[in-house]
């Protein structure tokens, strides 16, 4: 079954998604089968992680982060799409 792949820049962000098990290919998977790829900072790194997730079978991608420095006018807990 193909599922969702989540790109997270930092491990501290990925840990908020729940307990994950590391796979031999460097990706992690959550209990529901969701794959998580840690990318590091920047667009090129995120693109590389996204390609790795797709190659591993992800049929949809989501970028997840806490975005602490995105915009000082945003309040804590604000969802940005």
């Amino acid at each position: 079954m193909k599922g969702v792949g989540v790109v997270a820049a930092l491990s501290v962000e990925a840990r908020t998604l729940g307990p994950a098990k590391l796979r031999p290919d460097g990706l992690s998977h959550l209990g529901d089968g969701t794959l998580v790829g840690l990318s590091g900072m920047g667009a090129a790194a995120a693109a590389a992680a996204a390609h790795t997730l797709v190659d591993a079978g992800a049929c949809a991608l989501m970028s997840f982060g806490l975005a602490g420095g995105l915009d000082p006018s945003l309040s804590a807990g604000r969802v940005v799409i």
Side-chain angles (χ1 to χ4, degrees), residues 40-69:
M41 302 299 287
H51 285 288
T52 300
L53 288 162
V54 169
D55 290 345
C59 64
L61 294 172
M62 179 178 96
S63 175
F64 177 80
L66 302 177

Side-chain angles (χ1 to χ4, degrees), residues 4-10 13-14 16-17 34-43 45-47 49-50 53 60-67 70 79-81:
V4 175
V6 179
V7 176
L10 304 174
E13 294 170 326
T16 66
L17 298 171
T34 299
L35 294 174
V36 180
L38 294 177
S39 65
M41 302 299 287
L53 288 162
L61 294 172
M62 179 178 96
S63 175
F64 177 80
L66 302 177
L70 184 64
V79 175
V80 178
I81 298 177

